Amino acid sequence: MSLSVAQDRVVSLTYRLTVAGNAVEDGTIEYLHGHGNIVPGLEAGLDGAEIGQELHVEVPPALGYGDRVEDAVQQVPRSLFPAGMEIHAGMQFHARAPDGTGVPVWVLHVDDSFIVVDANHPMAGATLTFDVTIRAIREGTAEEIAHGHMHGPDGHGHDH
Ligand code: ZN
């Protein structure tokens, strides 16, 4: 019996991501299904798919990278960053929120005194269209399921 995409299974797929009619990315994803490792709309759209199946999944912003929040664009004084740190538009880093958690931000613009950062994901507000082919499915291991993500062929590739 061949496996279908379901909770706690490791899924390998190839995809093309299209936004507003433009192909923006071709790639491969391998992930543990049902643990929020990929955008929610894509994960839900793959439920029950079988190896070799081709799917066309439309993901609205709310189930993708979220709606754009204009308040999330901020000007930060250059002096708040380490003097030697190289900063350029397009780079991503983690800002420290007041509660101590890391918040991903993207640099929009840099000048001598200010850096403009955006906490919106670059694809926030976009409807994402995924054309997906399911390549492989296997059962997750107990360790993978406990961690909530897949591990590589050599087992544990990280420190937790
Ligand atoms: Zn792990």
Side-chain angles (χ1 to χ4, degrees), residues 143 147 149-151 156 158 160:
E143 188 181 55
H147 284 191
H149 53 234
M150 71 158 288
H151 293 149
H156 214 229
H158 58 93
H160 63 254

Side-chain angles (χ1 to χ4, degrees), residues 52-113:
Q53 192 173 337
E54 298 179 5
L55 297 96
H56 180 86
V57 183
E58 297 267 355
V59 178
L63 296 177
Y65 293 106
D67 290 308
R68 276 195 71 80
V69 177
E70 288 313 318
D71 287 356
V73 177
Q74 291 193 357
Q75 253 193 7
V76 182
R78 180 74 176 82
S79 57
L80 290 183
F81 292 83
M85 183 179 177
E86 186 179 330
I87 301 169
H88 54 86
M91 73 181 274
Q92 186 203 349
F93 61 91
H94 281 78
R96 187 69 50 198
D99 67 358
T101 56
V103 178
V105 298
W106 286 263
V107 176
L108 292 185
H109 179 77
V110 182
D111 70 23
D112 289 344
S113 45

